[in-house]
Amino acid sequence: MIAKSIEKMLSENQEHFLIPAEIVANVQENNFLDHALLVLTKVHYAKIPVLDNDYKFKGLLSLSMITETMLGLDELDVSRLHEVRVKDVMETDIPTIQDPYDIENVLHLLVDHPFLSVVSSEGSFTGIVTRRELMKSMNHIAHEFEKEYIVQNIETKENK
Ligand code: AMP
């Protein structure tokens, strides 16, 4: 259980740590890997969401999933990239969160995942929550906390 005061301040800031779907780089599950490689290279992200034609969230694709597909016995086989589709190699066993999301769950999940995809109850992709945006909110709270709350040290019983 996280402190209610921290949870409240983070919840008030929720909209700030969501990066909306419109500005999240993505690939379609039916794209071939050569196209996906171009997208990933251009956006400079190591991993991005995979969507279907209806903007439903399907999984994640990383550069290493693409390069592994090219690995032959002694050389890289680039021609494979036009035969294999994103849906054949993407990662699907990953947690997603729903808006409004449970802050405590988000904090736990971001320990192991650099970002979390936000998906509606119908499966539509609405954006991502990243470690960076959450750290910005935590930074804000660290600066503002004592302007909103009186903090008492339990050991010394002194008001700080
Ligand atoms: P950050 O916390 O900003 O370093 O972002 C963590 C990860 O989230 C990045 O490495 C990307 O995989 C993903 N990410 C962040 N912003 C975007 C974006 N606009 N489009 C796609 N993926 C993103």
Side-chain angles (χ1 to χ4, degrees), residues 45-69:
Y45 291 120
K47 201 179 252 193
I48 56 175
V50 179
L51 309 180
D52 70 8
N53 287 338
D54 298 322
Y55 234 66
K56 295 250 172 11
F57 177 78
K58 291 291 163 181
L60 298 177
L61 182 78
S62 69
L63 268 181
S64 64
M65 292 167 200
I66 299 179
T67 46
E68 266 175 41
T69 310

Side-chain angles (χ1 to χ4, degrees), residues 34-102:
D34 50 1
H35 174 77
L37 178 62
L38 281 179
V39 175
L40 272 166
T41 308
K42 278 239 180 266
V43 297
H44 295 286
Y45 291 120
K47 201 179 252 193
I48 56 175
V50 179
L51 309 180
D52 70 8
N53 287 338
D54 298 322
Y55 234 66
K56 295 250 172 11
F57 177 78
K58 291 291 163 181
L60 298 177
L61 182 78
S62 69
L63 268 181
S64 64
M65 292 167 200
I66 299 179
T67 46
E68 266 175 41
T69 310
M70 289 192 286
L71 285 184
L73 282 180
D74 345 278
E75 57 185 359
L76 291 180
D77 180 3
V78 182
S79 66
R80 295 262 303 138
L81 296 186
H82 197 65
E83 293 161 5
V84 182
R85 291 179 196 268
V86 168
K87 65 180 172 197
D88 301 324
V89 300
M90 68 186 181
E91 180 185 16
T92 52
D93 185 18
I94 19 122
T96 57
I97 53 175
Q98 257 189 44
D99 200 4
Y101 24 87
D102 175 49

Side-chain angles (χ1 to χ4, degrees), residues 14-25 45 101 115-118 125-134 136:
Q14 265 202 28
E15 69 197 62
H16 294 292
F17 55 79
L18 174 81
I19 300 181
E22 305 83 73
I23 57 168
V24 176
Y45 291 120
Y101 24 87
F115 72 97
L116 301 167
S117 297
V118 186
F125 177 68
T126 53
I128 58 174
V129 169
T130 64
R131 269 189 201 149
R132 182 163 187 272
E133 295 306 312
L134 190 92
K136 284 202 236 162

